[in-house]
């Protein structure tokens, strides 16, 4: 079975449409699966409420003071704010998102968190990152790479913008086996990071071909259909109301 049952432009448009129409993020209950309550308490409420990720990549990225970080698919800004704190005033965080609405949410979160002096948010696709070669030390991403219908291209772009010797630290869902066609062709399942999920082996192969070396896996957590119910409910409600 081919995984690419929807064409690339159709997938990108479906992802754009769904994220544009959701009225809220996954909320604090979901965020508490990935971040400690103590961490969440230090963040602007909007960043927590708009959290839509699947882990806490910043906690594994070993960010150092002064580093330049790209947060791909920054959404409501939760990881951009955490990264901005980690790199300090001498560092820099660039949040990139397909949607201007998400960039605006991240911008507001950075301002509310008092880290806007080192943050900037740009609208653009991960498949054509609007940054020069080697312009960041670290790229982070949380629940975003799965959304790309052109993952090899997105990974090549990430490789291009990270300085030689730099790092990519991301989290996403992976799958074991094939997903059924009704999932592969569902807009909501694409936007929920499910339909675009690869097996760990296939993902590792793509990372390798993009040029990344020394791949480390920091953790695996089982994710079943009940676990995606919360964001799926948001997506369904948004589509029904739209
Ligand atoms: C699942 S949300 C994750 C948001 C954020 N990383 C977090 O952890 O809360 C996915 C985000 O990626 C953005 N996105 C989707 N496709 C994209 C693309 N091709 N390029 C850049 N951003 C994209 C969406 O607009 C959305 O903000």
């Amino acid at each position: 079975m081919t995984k690419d049952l929807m064409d690339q432009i159709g997938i990108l448009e479906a992802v754009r449409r769904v994220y544009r129409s959701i009225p809220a993020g996954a909320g604090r209950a979901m965020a508490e699966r990935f971040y400690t309550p103590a961490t969440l308490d230090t963040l602007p409420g909007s960043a927590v409420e708009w959290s839509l990720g699947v882990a806490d990549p910043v906690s594994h990225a070993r960010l150092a003071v002064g580093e330049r970080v790209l947060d791909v698919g920054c959404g409501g800004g939760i990881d951009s704010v955490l990264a901005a704190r980690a790199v300090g005033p001498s560092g820099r965080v660039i949040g990139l998102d397909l949607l201007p609405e998400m960039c605006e949410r991240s911008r507001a979160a950075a301002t509310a968190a008092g880290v806007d002096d080192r943050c900037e948010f740009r609208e653009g696709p991960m498949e054509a990152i609007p940054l020069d070669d080697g312009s960041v030390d670290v790229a982070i991403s949380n629940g975003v790479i799965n959304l790309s219908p052109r993952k090899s291209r997105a990974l090549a772009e990430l490789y291009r913008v990270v300085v030689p010797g730099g790092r990519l630290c991301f989290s996403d869902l992976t799958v074991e086996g094939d997903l059924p066609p009704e999932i592969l062709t569902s807009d909501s399942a694409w936007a929920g990071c499910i339909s675009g999920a690869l097996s760990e082996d296939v993902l590792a192969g793509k990372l390798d071909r993009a040029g990344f070396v020394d791949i480390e896996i920091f953790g695996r957590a089982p994710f079943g259909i009940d676990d995606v119910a919360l964001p799926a409910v948001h997506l369904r409600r948004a589509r029904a109301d739209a």
Side-chain angles (χ1 to χ4, degrees), residues 11-12 15-16 19-20 22 26 35 47-48 50-55 57 71-80 96-100 102-103 105-106 122-129 140-149 154 171-172 191-193:
I11 290 167
L12 195 65
V15 167
R16 190 194 297 273
Y19 278 99
R20 185 154 265 171
I22 54 174
Y35 306 88
V48 175
W50 269 98
S51 163
L52 284 161
V54 295
D71 180 10
V72 178
C74 54
I78 188 166
D79 295 326
S80 294
L96 177 78
D97 204 283
L98 192 61
L99 294 181
M102 291 297 190
C103 291
R105 287 184 186 111
S106 281
R122 296 191 190 178
E123 180 186 342
M126 63 182 137
E127 297 83 359
I129 299 175
I140 60 169
S141 177
N142 192 358
V144 180
I145 290 172
N146 277 11
L147 299 175
S148 179
S171 46
D172 232 317
C193 294

Side-chain angles (χ1 to χ4, degrees), residues 9 11 20 22 51 60-61 64 72 106 114 126 144 150 154 167 172 175 181 186 190-191 193 198 209 228 239:
I9 293 173
I11 290 167
R20 185 154 265 171
I22 54 174
S51 163
H60 298 292
V72 178
S106 281
M126 63 182 137
V144 180
R150 300 174 67 204
R167 288 113 61 208
D172 232 317
V175 286
S186 153
W190 257 101
C193 294
L198 304 174
R209 279 191 295 282
V228 293
R239 285 170 57 77

Side-chain angles (χ1 to χ4, degrees), residues 3 6 26 40-41 54 77 143 187 192 202 219 221:
K3 287 191 73 75
M6 291 164 75
L40 295 176
D41 286 344
V54 295
D187 289 2
V202 171

